Amino acid sequence: MDFFFTVSLIADSNGDHQQYHLVSHGTNKLLINSNEQLKAHTANVVIGKDGGLGYTWLRSPSGIIVEKIITPTVDYWQGAWKDKLHNYIGVCIEVNNQKYYGWINVSHLNNKVIVHDAALCKVANTDVVAGK
């Protein structure tokens, strides 16, 4: 298993946070910013060694897709993936010191995180195009 999705519930003074994460396993990497948010790529964007402004390829345990804040008075969603349709998470799998770039097609719709499909380049150290 290279990547998997999980949900965690965290409580603090602002309310409960129901966080939806993508988790990387082993030496695999996610494209993440300093707030542990996953970059939401649109279709036809190049995903590869150059992560993008404010984002870095990290062997992070997980990256946040979206979170639901639950308070006594109101519930609301927040995060880079809120209400996104068919956006792409950049992923990187390392095998024998070779990097294979890919993407996972994800939507946040009607209070659900939906995984549509995924792809991985078969050629090491080669950029991929989101959605292709």
Side-chain angles (χ1 to χ4, degrees):
M1 178 181 340
D2 296 309
F3 301 94
F4 62 93
F5 292 86
T6 186
V7 178
S8 59
L9 183 60
I10 300 167
D12 65 15
S13 60
N14 296 323
D16 294 334
H17 301 253
Q18 189 175 16
Q19 296 180 335
Y20 293 75
H21 296 262
L22 175 61
V23 180
S24 63
H25 184 264
T27 61
N28 302 320
K29 296 179 179 179
L30 298 170
L31 200 51
I32 295 180
N33 68 12
S34 61
N35 294 325
E36 298 179 1
Q37 299 280 331
L38 293 164
K39 184 171 179 105
H41 294 283
T42 57
N44 301 314
V45 170
V46 174
I47 297 172
K49 64 181 177 181
D50 298 325
L53 186 61
Y55 290 83
T56 307
W57 288 107
L58 294 176
R59 285 187 180 115
S60 177
S62 71
I64 298 170
I65 300 169
V66 69
E67 70 179 329
K68 182 178 184 180
I69 309 300
I70 305 163
T71 70
T73 56
V74 66
D75 298 348
Y76 60 94
W77 290 87
Q78 67 181 20
W81 288 81
K82 179 180 178 256
D83 299 327
K84 297 284 186 186
L85 299 177
H86 290 281
N87 275 219
Y88 300 85
I89 300 170
V91 297
C92 178
I93 295 176
E94 289 191 33
V95 178
N96 298 325
N97 293 321
Q98 298 291 314
K99 294 179 175 130
Y100 296 86
Y101 297 103
W103 48 260
I104 302 172
N105 180 359
V106 176
S107 294
H108 174 250
L109 180 64
N110 297 328
N111 300 326
K112 296 177 187 170
V113 174
I114 303 164
V115 178
H116 300 284
D117 57 358
L120 189 67
C121 185
K122 293 180 182 180
V123 180
N125 304 310
T126 302
D127 294 346
V128 296
V129 176
K132 304 259 176 177

